Amino acid sequence: MAVGWMKLEFSRVLQGGSRLGVLKGLGRTGQHSLEVPGCLLYSRCGTVPHLTQDTLHNLDKLPSVTQVSLDHLAEHQEVLEEFKEGFKKFSGLHDTVLFCTLNDPATPSPTGYTTNKTVSVWGSGGRIELTAAKFMALQKLLQPDCYVSMADGETWQDNTSRKRVRKSVERTLAHLDECLLVHQASQELEGAALFGVVEGGDVPEERSRSARETAKRPVAGFCLDGLQSGRLNGALRSQLIAAVIKELPEDKPRLLQGVGRPDEVLACVEAGVDLFEGFFPFLVTERGCALCFRFDTAIDPESGDGTPPSESTAEPNGDHHPDDPTRMTSFEMDLKDKRYRDDFRPLVEGCGCYCCQNHKRAYVHHLLATNELLAGVLLTLHNTAHYLAFFAALREALAADKVDFLKRRVLGQTETST
């Protein structure tokens, strides 16, 4: 059976590996497209946290692909069996591509529960053990447009042996073969795109083997797993991605799981990654923070050479923990801090989102201090808009040979966050 109409068309491929283009033919009827580099729209059970569908669509240029994960949906199998018309219709989603992954990238899962035949996901009711047959039965009920194959991804811990890493690669390939057999014979998954998972821990040889063997299968794209924020340093991640990219065909998309911080996104795009999960704005919102990093690439006339102007008045805003994805980063401001109680500026000067156009930092601080639900709504609107604008700026920089300049903007943290 066909795997859909998905086709990746490039407008530029830079020498270092960055790819600029459009992923066309998405969805069962092939009517959607997604610019790359880009990100998916993060959701929980099909809903962006804190937002209704009407509120969500106050945002411009939303990604055409919405991510859902089995750990939130597996416990609703009986309801979906009774409904029979797929999760997209069940959840009232319209005009979007449904992309199903195994785990929620914003929620760490307990480890140590994989076997040769099963993986586990964790819902509100506890652990749910999935065989390949049960995994595919769920996919038939969900009827996603795209989904990621079942995989053994528990090889990111520092003490993981090479034997365990090798076993994870073999298990993941075996899972993929089982999934493909069901996928190719399934009427419910007709036209859906199946992504194969590349594992291999921190062993370049195993990463290469996993990528090479996965590429031999009739998959629509590739998911790079086990390279999440906080688990590997940036240099090693780039080395492992490079080992994988050498083995993958150029005409299929590459999705990197668990990486969302802007500096890491930039490094991974340079290494050849096309797509990211869009969970980072959600994490920032849950911390009561607002994204505030700069990504404009207009040359400052005062600098002469295109170097971003220094803004030494910006001071640290809380403790930053680059190796802990659950802690505040240098790309955000902590609006719970009392310094914002009398700050009557928008979250970010010049931002066109609903929050920045209508409210001040002091008001959002007040909402957070009083535990008002509106705080999450306003922060989600701003953080999502800011993050999507960053990806748009990245694509513009790739088109205009300004990636180095953009990196200096982003890494320089020149947005005042005081």
Side-chain angles (χ1 to χ4, degrees):
M1 65 175 281
V3 294
W5 296 266
M6 185 183 298
K7 183 178 181 182
L8 188 54
E9 296 183 357
F10 299 112
S11 55
R12 291 200 74 186
V13 178
L14 278 66
Q15 187 171 3
S18 303
R19 291 140 56 101
L20 177 67
V22 180
L23 186 57
K24 296 184 176 181
L26 294 170
R28 297 298 185 100
T29 58
Q31 78 273 29
H32 292 282
S33 63
L34 181 66
E35 293 182 288
V36 299
C39 69
L40 314 181
L41 183 66
Y42 173 77
S43 82
R44 289 189 164 184
C45 292
T47 299
V48 175
H50 303 293
L51 303 183
T52 65
Q53 283 293 318
D54 287 343
T55 307
L56 172 66
H57 287 283
N58 282 320
L59 295 170
D60 294 326
K61 299 180 180 178
L62 288 168
S64 61
V65 182
T66 299
Q67 179 183 4
V68 296
S69 55
L70 279 187
D71 49 5
H72 293 304
L73 302 176
E75 58 195 343
H76 303 297
Q77 181 171 355
E78 291 182 3
V79 176
L80 291 167
E81 284 176 347
E82 187 173 344
F83 182 69
K84 294 184 175 63
E85 297 185 63
F87 183 74
K88 193 187 296 187
K89 189 170 182 179
F90 177 74
S91 56
L93 293 174
H94 305 287
D95 197 34
T96 189
V97 175
L98 198 66
F99 193 108
C100 185
T101 58
L102 186 65
N103 295 301
D104 182 341
T107 306
S109 299
T111 58
Y113 294 91
T114 60
T115 70
N116 284 335
K117 297 294 184 180
T118 67
V119 299
S120 293
V121 295
W122 299 79
S124 58
R127 182 166 75 100
I128 301 171
E129 197 170 27
L130 300 177
T131 61
K134 187 171 183 179
F135 173 88
M136 290 304 294
L138 280 167
Q139 298 296 349
K140 289 180 182 181
L141 293 174
L142 295 171
Q143 299 175 28
D145 298 293
C146 311
Y147 67 103
V148 175
S149 177
M150 195 169 95
D152 172 11
E154 294 187 5
T155 58
W156 49 265
Q157 298 93 332
D158 291 336
N159 59 350
T160 304
S161 67
R162 291 180 72 99
K163 181 179 179 181
R164 176 67 182 89
V165 170
R166 185 165 58 252
K167 181 178 289 187
S168 81
V169 171
E170 292 165 357
R171 283 177 176 172
T172 299
L173 289 169
H175 292 329
L176 176 58
D177 288 338
E178 288 186 80
C179 291
L180 279 168
L181 283 174
V182 178
H183 177 92
Q184 292 167 337
S186 171
Q187 182 178 353
E188 295 91 339
L189 296 172
E190 179 74 38
L194 173 61
F195 277 53
V197 183
V198 176
E199 298 289 355
D202 60 359
V203 183
E205 296 81 6
E206 289 300 324
R207 283 278 167 190
S208 296
R209 181 169 76 94
S210 180
R212 184 167 55 252
E213 292 301 319
T214 304
K216 294 177 181 178
R217 275 73 170 175
V219 296
F222 303 93
C223 176
L224 281 58
D225 187 30
L227 303 170
Q228 286 88 334
S229 296
R231 299 179 179 178
L232 296 168
N233 67 57
L236 178 56
R237 182 190 291 116
S238 295
Q239 177 188 353
L240 294 172
I241 291 175
V244 167
I245 295 303
K246 288 180 181 178
E247 306 294 339
L248 298 183
E250 294 185 356
D251 61 343
K252 294 182 179 180
R254 307 151 183 174
L255 168 71
L256 179 60
Q257 291 191 301
V259 172
R261 218 172 63 207
D263 57 330
E264 296 180 322
V265 167
L266 288 169
C268 294
V269 166
E270 287 189 307
V273 172
D274 302 311
L275 297 171
F276 298 83
E277 298 169 309
F279 65 97
F280 187 69
F282 168 74
L283 293 181
V284 175
T285 295
E286 293 302 285
R287 290 192 279 266
C289 295
L291 289 173
C292 59
F293 63 98
R294 291 186 68 173
F295 46 76
D296 55 297
T297 55
I299 295 178
D300 178 36
E302 299 297 327
S303 69
D305 61 356
T307 302
S310 173
E311 294 189 18
S312 57
T313 56
E315 59 186 82
N317 188 345
D319 297 327
H320 304 144
H321 303 268
D323 295 327
D324 185 349
T326 67
R327 304 288 291 274
M328 180 179 168
T329 70
S330 59
F331 302 97
E332 56 201 270
M333 66 176 84
D334 183 3
L335 286 163
K336 300 184 301 295
D337 195 297
K338 291 182 179 179
R339 76 176 79 178
Y340 298 110
R341 184 172 51 193
D342 301 315
D343 191 335
F344 302 114
R345 292 175 290 174
L347 303 189
V348 173
E349 296 286 353
C351 177
C353 80
Y354 175 87
C355 181
C356 290
Q357 291 295 303
N358 293 279
H359 299 291
K360 308 301 180 188
R361 297 177 181 184
Y363 180 59
V364 178
H365 168 80
H366 161 73
L367 294 174
L368 289 165
T370 54
N371 293 316
E372 289 288 344
L373 296 178
L374 182 58
V377 175
L378 295 178
L379 284 174
T380 298
L381 286 171
H382 167 76
N383 290 332
T384 303
H386 199 82
Y387 198 64
L388 296 178
F390 159 64
F391 272 95
L394 172 55
R395 292 189 293 269
E396 291 172 4
L398 287 168
D401 289 321
K402 289 187 176 181
V403 176
D404 289 340
F405 186 86
L406 175 65
K407 287 171 62 177
R408 292 199 297 273
R409 270 291 198 233
V410 172
L411 301 180
Q413 297 304 282
T414 56
E415 174 65 32
T416 301
S417 58
T418 58

